């Protein structure tokens, strides 16, 4: 069976090599006579998987020793609540609003304590990232929260705020897509289902000194200290998702690491943005050029009828997941790490062919 051209926003494409390796190991993982899904999470066989995933993540992102690496559940959405519960204290949670996910993060924080909006681009339907000079800081900020990439609107931070004592970033949709200076952040968190693996595990990278802020009256499962002390094994973790995460990290390493992956991602994004920019206005990008995402390319066509035709014909040719979100309309091509360059080339050729025939 031929593979589809997968441009889903999430859960997204996984590397074919990873899927094939998982398939080969599915029934009998490393001669245990069991699937990795059947292993006890307390067993030496699973512990090897767990530690490998942590080690590879530290290596690929150059995570310093003064940071914890946690594998949690509940997606990024649970982090919207856990972050203010653990880290807000008597301070202010300051949020930069660049799309629906940052809006949701702020909404949850408001239920916990004091919040502020550092900057927002809502008035232009989130078509850009605020400049650093637009950001407003408060003396009593507990943290500044940003969403590094906005899947719905196709925008991405290309420069992060500096000299922020506790910068927290939701990197669910662009983690591992480019090199990072982890030390610039107090905390990074990411749902796995874009670049890290299948849905089910959430990665949290947290500076160790932040633990001192955590109050003592939290529910056990919502306290970061619980998961730090137990090495993310307090209760049964999503073992298969973590196993798949380890395979994806191994794949990135074999590709040459995050810098090499970034180079391919730029080539893919440039190909689609050039197609849009050279279309004479037939295709129009939603994001302003200096805020364009390397992960999610959003664009519209001249009218709704052409959009329907485009999506219908694209589906017939094996392109999956190109429907734009209702907040923007039009189309969206999500070109995460595992989307091969060949798929993006095929999409670019289809876009040009469709325009010629329209």
């Amino acid at each position: 069976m031929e593979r589809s051209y997968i441009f889903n926003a999430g859960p997204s494409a996984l590397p074919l090599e990873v899927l094939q390796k998982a398939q080969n190991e599915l029934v009998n993982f490393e001669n245990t006579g069991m699937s990795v899904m059947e292993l006890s999470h307390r067993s030496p066989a699973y512990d090897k998987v767990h530690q490998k995933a942590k080690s590879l993540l530290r290596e690929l992102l150059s995570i310093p020793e003064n940071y914890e690496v946690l594998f949690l559940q509940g997606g990024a959405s649970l982090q919207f609540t856990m972050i203010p519960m653990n880290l807000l204290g008597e301070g202010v949670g300051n949020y930069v609003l660049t799309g629906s996910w940052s809006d949701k993060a702020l909404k949850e924080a408001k239920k916990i304590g004091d919040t502020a909006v550092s900057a927002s681009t809502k008035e232009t339907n989130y078509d850009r990232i605020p400049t650093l000079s637009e950001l407003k800081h408060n003396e009593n900020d507990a943290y500044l929260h940003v969403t590094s990439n906005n899947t719905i609107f196709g925008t991405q931070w290309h420069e992060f705020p500096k000299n922020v004592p506790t910068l927290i970033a939701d990197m669910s949709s662009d983690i591992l897509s480019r090199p990072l200076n982890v030390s610039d952040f107090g905390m990074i968190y990411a749902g796995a289902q874009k670049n890290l693996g299948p849905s089910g595990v959430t990665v949290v990278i947290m500076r160790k000194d932040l633990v001192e802020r955590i109050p003592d009256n939290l529910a056990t499962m919502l306290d970061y200290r619980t998961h730090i002390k137990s090495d993310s094994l307090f209760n049964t973790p999503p073992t298969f998702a973590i196993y798949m995460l380890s395979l994806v990290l191994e794949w990135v390493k074999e590709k040459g690491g995050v810098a090499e992956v970034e180079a391919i991602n730029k080539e893919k994004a440039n190909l689609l943005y050039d197609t849009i920019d050279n279309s004479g206005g037939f295709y129009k990008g939603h994001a302003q050029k200096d805020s364009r995402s390397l992960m999610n390319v959003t664009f519209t066509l001249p009218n709704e009828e052409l959009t329907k035709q485009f999506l219908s014909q694209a589906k017939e040719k094996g392109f999956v997941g190109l429907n734009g979100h209702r907040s923007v309309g039009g189309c969206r091509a999500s070109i995460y790490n595992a989307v091969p360059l060949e798929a993006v080339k095929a999409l670019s050729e289809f876009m040009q062919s469709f325009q010629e025939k329209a």
Side-chain angles (χ1 to χ4, degrees), residues 290-316:
D290 60 356
S291 296
R292 282 173 163 176
S293 169
L294 299 182
M295 298 284 95
N296 309 95
V297 179
T298 52
F299 59 95
T300 56
L301 283 78
N303 56 58
E304 188 63 29
E305 183 57 35
L306 280 172
T307 302
K308 289 179 180 178
Q309 292 177 23
F310 178 90
L311 292 170
S312 176
Q313 292 180 28
K315 186 176 181 180
E316 290 174 3

Side-chain angles (χ1 to χ4, degrees), residues 54-55 58-59 61-69 182-183 205-209:
K54 285 181 63 177
S55 176
R58 282 191 177 277
E59 178 184 348
L61 291 179
S62 301
I63 301 173
E65 286 301 314
N66 64 321
Y67 283 75
E68 303 284 357
V69 175
V182 174
S183 295
I205 302 166
M206 180 181 180
R207 203 173 63 223
K208 290 181 178 181
D209 66 281

Side-chain angles (χ1 to χ4, degrees), residues 245-321:
L245 165 63
S246 74
L247 295 187
V248 170
L249 294 173
E250 197 172 57
W251 174 80
V252 171
K253 184 175 180 178
E254 290 170 356
K255 289 289 182 183
V258 178
E260 289 299 317
V261 167
E262 180 189 36
I264 298 171
N265 286 335
K266 286 182 175 179
E267 185 176 358
K268 292 186 297 187
N270 288 338
L271 187 58
L272 290 187
Y273 286 125
D274 285 347
T275 303
I276 291 169
D277 293 342
N278 295 328
S279 70
F282 185 82
Y283 299 109
K284 292 183 179 179
H286 175 74
Q288 294 187 22
K289 289 185 178 182
D290 60 356
S291 296
R292 282 173 163 176
S293 169
L294 299 182
M295 298 284 95
N296 309 95
V297 179
T298 52
F299 59 95
T300 56
L301 283 78
N303 56 58
E304 188 63 29
E305 183 57 35
L306 280 172
T307 302
K308 289 179 180 178
Q309 292 177 23
F310 178 90
L311 292 170
S312 176
Q313 292 180 28
K315 186 176 181 180
E316 290 174 3
K317 293 185 178 296
F319 296 99
V320 176

Side-chain angles (χ1 to χ4, degrees), residues 188-239:
I188 294 167
Y189 65 100
Q193 65 275 10
K194 317 286 190 180
N195 280 327
L196 295 177
S199 58
V201 62
T202 303
V203 169
V204 171
I205 302 166
M206 180 181 180
R207 203 173 63 223
K208 290 181 178 181
D209 66 281
L210 296 182
V211 172
E212 299 168 8
R213 300 188 191 180
I214 301 175
D216 291 328
N217 60 344
L218 296 184
T220 302
M221 282 296 290
L222 298 178
D223 189 324
Y224 286 123
R225 292 172 299 190
T226 299
H227 306 288
I228 292 169
K229 291 174 184 176
S230 63
D231 194 20
S232 303
L233 293 164
F234 178 76
N235 66 329
T236 307
T239 55

Side-chain angles (χ1 to χ4, degrees), residues 100 152 323-332:
S100 63
I152 290 173
N323 297 64
H325 191 273
R326 60 184 177 275
S327 302
V328 177
C331 305
R332 170 177 54 179

